Amino acid sequence: MNRPMRTRRQATLASLAAELGVSRTTVSNAYNRPDQLSPELRRRVLETARRLGYPGPDPVARSLRTRKAGAVGLLLTENLSYAFRDPAAVGVLEGLALACEDAGVGLHLVPASPGREEVAAVHRAGVDGFVVYSVPDDDPHLAAVLSRPVPTVIVDQPELDGVDRVGPDDAAATVDLANHLVELGHRQIGVLCMRLGRDRKDGFAPVDRQREAHFHVQRTRLSALARKFESVGVDWSTVPVVERFEHTVDDGASGARQLLDAHPQVTAVICTSDILALGALAEAGRRGLRVPADLTVTGFDGVAEATRAGLTTVHQPVLEKGRAAGRLLLSAGDRVAPKVITLPTELRIGTTSAPPRTAEELWFGP
């Protein structure tokens, strides 16, 4: 006859304290306030806990008691893998993790795939505050975050009154890049931009879609380009702007292909990210175009891959962006007025930009 298997009952804080002949507070201090115990007493508590199978204080019970979760939530409205695949996102995540490490708190990723309306993950997240990384102004997950009574810091976008934010001056940085291209003599330009809204669009973006974009970083960069090139006589409505919903090198290549197929006269392709620019470089190579002799290509971000490729780009300190956001969130305290941290950018002129070919050079070749 089979006998039921007996399982040892898990030790509790109370039973461990009784076994040691000490108070519950002493056991708790061994885990949470070790400086309150002698090294010998703490060693005895921990060794006995291991022998009896005591797993340590219940984090849920502790959070209910202290009303602190001990973790920061990162809202990323992308698939979870994006945080570990996109170089700029990786830099922000690393910087935020460093800030959390310094403060002794955890980091809880709250991914929300594009197009999803379900916001339960935001409401379920046991966190003491949120860092929101680059979302559109109409995102329902952002609204869910702002409905919770915890501090929030936005990285990059959107700009909201009364909410802390960390990011570069996108308009000024883009103007620096545009000035460089204008001074080189480029007037026949095309643009590759990241997604402008939550709706999936891949193709040419008319001016009204650019102006109404819910991703304000893209809207700001396009607007800055338009102002600068219109100031030198370029009709912005004639400038081809190709939008890509996904942010990959392959999407940059397909966007450049669409742009150059329709507008082969373009002498410069301005990309609103380095990832798209790396794709544009690949497409230029596939076509046999020499960069920068036949085509200038520029980016934005300054990621390591762009540096290795010699890309002319705007560099922004993505790791410091994440670290600054974490520190700002964790120091929020009782601060009433919102704080905006504007990070510096630097135009780095690489080997992918040069004056446009003249009509004679285009005909006769080098």
Side-chain angles (χ1 to χ4, degrees):
M1 181 176 176
N2 292 331
R3 295 184 178 181
M5 180 193 265
R6 291 190 178 184
T7 58
R8 187 174 68 174
R9 191 172 179 180
Q10 190 177 66
T12 65
L13 185 145
S15 64
L16 179 58
E19 173 77 12
L20 289 161
V22 299
S23 69
R24 297 186 195 187
T25 299
T26 296
V27 174
S28 177
N29 283 344
Y31 291 90
N32 301 319
R33 302 179 66 191
D35 58 303
Q36 299 296 305
L37 306 183
S38 69
E40 174 58 28
L41 178 55
R42 183 168 188 260
R43 181 190 61 77
R44 192 158 64 90
V45 170
L46 296 180
E47 284 185 353
T48 304
R50 281 193 292 271
R51 178 169 57 82
L52 297 181
Y54 175 63
D58 184 351
V60 175
R62 182 184 180 196
S63 66
L64 289 173
R65 184 174 64 254
T66 63
R67 303 189 69 82
K68 290 289 185 182
V72 167
L74 172 63
L75 177 68
L76 176 76
T77 54
E78 298 284 349
N79 295 317
L80 184 59
S81 60
Y82 185 86
F84 304 95
R85 171 172 45 83
D86 181 82
V90 168
V92 170
L93 182 60
E94 181 182 358
L96 178 57
L98 289 171
C100 289
E101 287 176 9
D102 291 342
V105 300
L107 180 58
H108 179 71
L109 298 184
V110 187
S113 300
R116 287 185 56 186
E117 300 293 327
E118 175 57 55
V119 298
V122 172
H123 293 300
R124 286 197 306 263
V127 298
D128 300 315
F130 284 94
V131 171
V132 177
Y133 178 48
S134 195
V135 305
D137 54 24
D138 63 344
D139 192 277
H141 303 89
L142 172 62
V145 164
L146 296 177
S147 72
R148 293 190 53 174
V150 295
T152 299
V153 174
I154 292 174
V155 174
D156 287 340
Q157 57 190 339
E159 291 181 345
L160 297 176
D161 291 338
V163 182
D164 292 344
R165 191 177 72 86
V166 176
D169 186 336
D170 285 285
T174 303
V175 167
D176 287 344
L177 177 64
N179 282 336
H180 170 61
L181 296 176
V182 166
E183 289 167 3
L184 288 174
H186 290 283
R187 300 295 185 271
Q188 297 282 347
I189 63 167
V191 181
L192 292 185
C193 72
M194 296 169 65
R195 73 174 71 132
L196 301 176
R198 292 195 297 135
D199 53 330
R200 183 175 287 273
K201 296 282 187 181
D202 284 303
F204 290 98
V207 172
D208 58 348
R209 180 169 176 81
Q210 299 171 40
R211 291 173 178 166
E212 296 167 4
H214 288 284
F215 284 91
H216 101 255
V217 166
Q218 299 302 302
R219 186 175 70 238
T220 298
R221 292 178 188 175
L222 290 172
S223 178
L225 288 172
R227 288 195 304 273
K228 180 59 188 179
F229 280 96
E230 284 181 340
S231 74
V232 294
V234 176
D235 180 355
W236 188 254
S237 67
T238 67
V239 173
V241 176
V242 173
E243 174 184 0
R244 280 296 180 265
F245 187 82
E246 299 294 346
H247 189 228
T248 69
V249 172
D250 286 345
D251 284 280
S254 70
R257 187 176 312 125
Q258 184 176 18
L259 174 62
L260 294 172
D261 281 348
H263 300 272
Q265 78 281 7
V266 162
T267 63
V269 176
I270 305 169
C271 304
T272 63
S273 79
D274 286 347
I275 294 298
L276 295 179
L278 291 171
L281 289 175
E283 175 60 19
R286 190 189 71 83
R287 289 171 174 263
L289 295 174
R290 296 168 305 164
V291 176
D294 299 321
L295 184 70
T296 282
V297 178
T298 66
F300 199 113
D301 284 331
V303 301
E305 291 88 338
T307 299
R308 289 193 289 269
L311 185 68
T312 292
T313 187
V314 173
H315 176 269
Q316 58 171 324
V318 290
L319 188 145
E320 183 54 33
K321 186 190 292 185
R323 194 200 303 262
R327 288 174 174 171
L328 185 58
L329 181 73
L330 294 166
S331 66
D334 297 324
R335 176 162 45 84
V336 177
K339 186 172 183 179
V340 174
I341 297 177
T342 302
L343 299 174
T345 58
E346 178 189 1
L347 175 61
R348 295 185 176 177
I349 300 173
T351 59
T352 65
S353 59
R357 302 273 306 262
T358 65
E360 185 178 24
E361 288 173 326
L362 286 170
W363 178 258
F364 291 108

